[in-house]
Structure formats: structure tokens, C-alpha cells
Amino acid sequence: MSGTIYQALADAVIEGNQGKAVECTADLLKDGTDPKMILDNGLLKGMEVVGIKFRDNLIFVPQVLISARAFKSSLSILEPFLSKSDTEGMGTVVIGTVKGDIHDIGKNIVAMMLKSSGFRVVDLGIDVKAEKFIDAIKNEKAVILGMSALLTTTMGYMKAVIDKIKNENLSVKTIVGGAPISNSFAEQIGADGYAKNASDAVELSKRIIK
Ligand code: B1M
């Protein structure tokens, strides 16, 4: 039964049907479905198809935005269930999408998962310049800086931020992620780690602060 609703939720994201996406998410939650399963089997499955259609020029920016809106509305219903930890005892993570880049769906999921794992998260949003990252690391006494980039044209900016952190001798650990990022890229720019997805980001964060 939930398999059919997962598909309906994925379809709602693909079609950009915000009302339907919210309704399916609420129904699944009411049935006691694990919110992580709703995210993985419904919302992310739908967004994966949107990505493929966008890549293949079958849909364009306006349709992707409508899908993103449906995705985000559902995610906001899931958020209280995904981020139910209030311990915040793991330290502070400053996170943001780098300068020139406005993609934030993946970054928001990573932020949410980190919160649910006991980190305090300061989310600087999108299009974040190096100076803003540096100020937040200092002011919030961050133990980890997380940077997200979805464009091949913006991923290079991560190095500029890491170089600045090193120049200022800040002791924060840096983790990077996003569709075009890889382990070797992370090594190349001097990041402390790369995470493929939100669960990996949590594992990595726990590991590097030990
Ligand atoms: Co954009 N876009 N987009 N887009 N968009 C991509 C990234 C693209 C691959 C699509 C394509 O052509 N196939 C392509 C980039 C190509 C490239 O660089 N080589 C692209 C392009 C070209 C563009 C524009 C330039 C299009 C244009 O205007 N002509 C433009 C750029 C705007 C800008 O940023 N300056 C643009 C705009 C947009 C929208 C605004 C329409 C919308 C964004 C809405 C929003 O985010 N609020 C959008 C979307 C939605 C996408 C796709 C379709 C989906 C991205 C997404 O949300 N995925 C994307 C195609 C794709 O990625 N397949 C695409 C779902 C999300 C859960 O996954 O973000 O990968 P993801 O996050 C994952 C992991 O990567 C990881 O964990 C997350 C959860 O599992 N992760 C981290 C992410 N950040 C992490 C940080 C970490 C650790 C892990 O540590 C800190």
C-alpha cells in the first residue's frame, strides 16, 4: 500500500503538484511511515526523475522550480519528524551553498539530518561568500563548516573558502558535498572530507570531530 503512495508522492514532485505532494506526505506520516523512508522513496525518487528530465531538456527551469516548491513543502512537513533531537551536544556546524549557487534542496536535507543527530546547525543559506562563512565560523564557534555546490562553475569557490580558513588559521574542519563533488575533488582542494549524501554527511561529521 505505502509503495503506491510513495509512487504517488514521487509523481506529485515530478508534476510539481504541491497540494498532492503535501497530501501524500501527510498520509504516509499518519500511517506511521518512517520519515526517512518518505524522503528516500518518495521525494528524492521524484526529484531524481526531475533531474534527468532537466538534463535531457524535456523540462525547463520553470517546471523544475515548481517541482522544487512541491518538494520543499513536503520537506517542511517532514522536518519536525526528521529533526527531533534537541540535544545539540555535538557542536556547531555552519553550512551554506557557495557563492554563485542557489541550489539548496540537498543542503537543507543535510542540515536537517545533522540537526537530528545532535549538531547545532547555523544555515547561512545560498550564494554565500567566503567572508560570511568566516564570520559565522568565528562568531558561532563552529567545529565544522559544510559547503554545498551543485554547479561545476561554483564548486571551485569551495577552495577559495578553504584557503581563507587556512590563511586565518581557523581550527574548523571542512566538509563538502553536492552532485558534482567527489572524494578526489575534496582532497584536491584541501577539504577534511566529502559526503555523497546526507547520511554520509552525518557519519563523516561525527568521525572528523573525534
Ligand atoms: Co539546477 N542544475 N540550475 N536548478 N538543478 C543542476 C545542478 C544540473 C546538474 C541540471 C542538469 O543540467 N542536469 C545543472 C548543472 C550542470 C553543471 O554544472 N554541470 C543545473 C543548471 C545548469 C542550472 C542553471 C544554470 C540553469 C539555468 O538557469 N539555465 C541554474 C543555476 C542557478 C544558480 O545556482 N546560479 C539552475 C537553477 C535551478 C533551479 C533554481 C531551477 C532549481 C534549484 C531549486 C533549489 O534548490 N531551491 C534547480 C534544480 C532543482 C536542479 C536539479 C534538477 C536537482 C537538484 C536537487 O535539488 N537535487 C539538478 C539536477 C541534478 O542534480 N541531478 C540541477 C535533489 C537533492 C536532494 O540532491 O542537491 O545533489 P543534491 O543533494 C544531495 C547530495 O548531493 C548531497 O546530499 C544531498 C542529499 O542526498 N549534498 C551534500 C548536497 N550538498 C551537500 C553538502 C554536504 C554533504 C552532502 O556537506 C556540506
Side-chain angles (χ1 to χ4, degrees), residues 9-17 42-71 105:
L9 176 55
D11 288 343
V13 170
I14 296 164
E15 291 155 14
N17 187 335
L43 293 176
L44 287 172
K45 278 267 152 27
M47 194 44 89
E48 199 181 311
V49 175
V50 172
I52 293 166
K53 288 187 162 186
F54 189 37
R55 181 198 62 202
D56 295 343
N57 289 323
L58 296 171
I59 57 169
F60 301 95
V61 171
Q63 287 110 308
V64 180
L65 274 176
I66 294 168
S67 290
R69 191 184 60 185
F71 187 104
I105 294 175

Side-chain angles (χ1 to χ4, degrees), residues 4 11 15-16 22-23 27 118 127 157 169 176 184 191 193:
T4 333
D11 288 343
E15 291 155 14
V22 166
E23 189 189 314
D27 284 349
D127 191 20
Y157 193 73
N169 268 325
V176 292
S184 63

Side-chain angles (χ1 to χ4, degrees), residues 44 47-48 50-52 54-56 60-62 64-65 68 71-72 95-97 100-110 114 126 145-154 158 175-180 193-201 204:
L44 287 172
M47 194 44 89
E48 199 181 311
V50 172
I52 293 166
F54 189 37
R55 181 198 62 202
D56 295 343
F60 301 95
V61 171
V64 180
L65 274 176
F71 187 104
K72 283 185 169 186
I95 194 166
T97 302
D101 203 321
I102 62 168
H103 295 87
D104 67 354
I105 294 175
K107 182 264 297 165
N108 292 346
I109 296 173
V110 173
L114 285 168
I126 54 172
L145 168 68
M147 288 186 282
S148 180
L150 265 288
L151 299 171
T152 46
T153 48
T154 57
M158 290 174 162
I175 69 168
V176 292
Y194 155 74
K196 190 178 183 329
N197 54 41
S199 315
D200 283 2
L204 172 65

Side-chain angles (χ1 to χ4, degrees), residues 38 41 51 106 116 122 151 155 162 198 206:
I38 303 175
N41 298 338
S116 75
V122 177
L151 299 171
M155 60 196 272
I162 291 172
K206 287 181 178 167

